[in-house]
């Protein structure tokens, strides 16, 4: 029956392996997690104050489905001031984090049997979004020797008549890689030549190290890009569920149809706090402080890894992850993660949680306080030395 057809489709969605590992670790004592994918900072005070004020000022009602105009304007203004990209606010809608933005892109752009090119490894939600949209995921391998950049020639080989979209996510989760400008341009050219949309998921855009620059895909392929972005990582606001999408107007109109009935919109007082986040200096000072703290921890992780036997790491310039190569241990990624949890009480995420091509890697997150991070790395070093 129809009912079972729908249930079957939803049953294809896999439970995240990351969550399974966390659940096991939560039942153990004295475990340090380097598995967490969210900032360990509190939301900047000025943003919290703005939300409290907004509640007192009566921002407690429904908002337009696309979001509060002042907030959409502030987002457009942010792209102009930060990247020199002019976007009319009609191309912006407020979403429940980047998660909803990616979901809307899959649902509105893909039909049964369409193909979407998803890098491997990649963040966990894209493949599951494709299943819900009944689209076919075609995986594009990212290789350590190429700095985990997509290879434009390999991308071209994967394109068929059914290809509708390619997913790009830089700074990248899980590898921490940033996108080279040359590669960004090559992807943009391919998308334009073959009439393919680029879903560019950019929530880590402010976490860049050693003078790395962000390459917003909107700059390279403005008419083909659907941007997913979020306040979650930038302003340490994961629980607020505030994000947005920027897309060509026809797509925005289609997205709103779905968004209107499923979401309505993000709480109005939170959108008002989003205006403060974008326009007040205090929030940007806090972002800088977070970035400096991550930069210090990133150095600590990379220096420790150099001291450890059997493990090495590509030096990522973004996000808050290190994707370390564990092939010399002779263990598979999942086996390594289990071993490290039992032996050292440290949680890392097996690379295979992000795709088959993540085999031989683990993701280490440094969104963890410095003393805990160092203790975990010490434990990891000892465990590896005893291997
Ligand atoms: N995209 C990437 C690459 C992420 O790492 C995450 C969260 O970890 C998300 C999207 C979802 O973020 P949000 O909290 O904005 O929904």
């Amino acid at each position: 029956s129809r009912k079972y057809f729908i249930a079957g489709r939803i049953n294809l969605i896999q439970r995240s392996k990351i969550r399974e590992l966390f659940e096991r670790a939560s039942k153990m004592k004295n475990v340090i997690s380097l598995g967490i994918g969210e900032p360990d900072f509190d939301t900047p005070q000025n943003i919290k104050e703005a939300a409290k004020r907004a509640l007192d000022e009566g921002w407690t009602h429904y908002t337009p489905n696309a979001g509060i105009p002042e907030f959409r304007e502030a987002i457009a203004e942010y792209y102009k001031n930060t990247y020199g990209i002019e976007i009319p606010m009609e191309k912006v809608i407020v979403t429940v984090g980047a998660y909803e933005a990616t979901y809307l892109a899959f649902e509105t752009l893909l039909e049964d049997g369409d193909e979407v090119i998803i890098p491997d490894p990649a963040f966990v939600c894209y493949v599951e979004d494709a299943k819900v949209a009944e689209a076919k995921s075609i995986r594009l391998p990212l290789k350590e020797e190429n700095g985990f950049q997509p290879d434009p020639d390999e991308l071209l080989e994967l394109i068929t008549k059914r290809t509708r979209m390619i997913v790009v996510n830089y700074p990248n989760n899980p590898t921490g890689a940033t996108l080279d400008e040359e590669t960004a341009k090559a992807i943009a050219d391919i998308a334009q030549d073959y009439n393919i949309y680029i879903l560019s998921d950019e929530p880590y855009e402010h976490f860049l190290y050693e003078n790395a620059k962000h390459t917003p895909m909107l700059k390279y392929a403005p008419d083909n890009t659907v941007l997913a972005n979020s306040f979650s990582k930038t302003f340490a606001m994961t629980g607020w569920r505030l994000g947005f999408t920027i897309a060509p107007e026809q797509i925005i109109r289609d997205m709103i149809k779905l968004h209107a009935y499923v979401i309505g919109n993000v709480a109005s007082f939170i959108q008002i706090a989003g205006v403060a986040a974008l326009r007040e200096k205090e929030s940007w000072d806090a972002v800088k402080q977070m970035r400096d703290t991550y930069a210090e921890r990133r150095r600590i992780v990379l220096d420790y890894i150099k001291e450890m036997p059997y493990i090495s790491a590509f030096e990522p310039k973004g996000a808050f992850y290190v994707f370390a190569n564990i092939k010399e241990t002779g263990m598979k990624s999942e086996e390594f993660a289990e071993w490290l949890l039992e032996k050292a009480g440290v949680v890392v995420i097996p690379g295979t949680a992000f795709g088959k091509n993540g085999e031989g890697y683990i993701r280490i997150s440094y969104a963890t306080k410095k003393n805990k991070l160092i203790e975990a790395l010490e434990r990891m070093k000892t465990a590896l030395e005893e291997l």
Side-chain angles (χ1 to χ4, degrees), residues 341-359:
L341 181 58
E342 293 302 325
K343 172 101 179 152
V346 173
V347 177
V348 293
I349 307 299
T352 44
F354 308 98
K356 313 212 271 299
N357 214 40
E359 186 56 89

Side-chain angles (χ1 to χ4, degrees), residues 37 96-99 123 126 169 173 201 203-204 230 232-233 241 321:
V96 180
Y99 268 134
F123 180 56
Y126 316 126
N169 160 230
N173 178 7
D201 187 19
Y204 297 93
S230 162
S232 287
K233 319 284 170 172
R241 310 308 304 131
Y321 307 111

Side-chain angles (χ1 to χ4, degrees), residues 19 26 29 69 72 75-76 90 117-119 122 129 136 143 147 157 181 197 207 217 228 231 277 293 304 310 356:
R19 299 231 176 264
S26 71
K29 284 210 173 74
R72 294 164 71 204
I75 293 168
E90 288 70 28
I117 298 177
I118 300 176
D129 282 339
K136 196 166 157 197
K143 302 186 191 99
E157 276 173 29
E181 193 173 7
Y197 285 105
F207 300 117
M217 286 308 305
F231 285 53
T293 309
Y304 257 97
Y310 310 117
K356 313 212 271 299

Side-chain angles (χ1 to χ4, degrees), residues 314-327:
F314 148 85
E315 295 215 352
K317 297 258 172 79
F320 37 68
Y321 307 111
V322 171
F323 208 53
N325 184 324
I326 53 126
K327 290 176 186 167

Side-chain angles (χ1 to χ4, degrees), residues 148-165:
F148 295 111
Q149 305 285 307
D151 179 329
D153 292 331
E154 286 183 32
L155 168 60
L156 272 175
E157 276 173 29
L158 296 180
I159 292 174
T160 71
K161 280 196 220 115
R162 294 303 305 257
T163 310
R164 290 279 286 156
M165 187 163 93

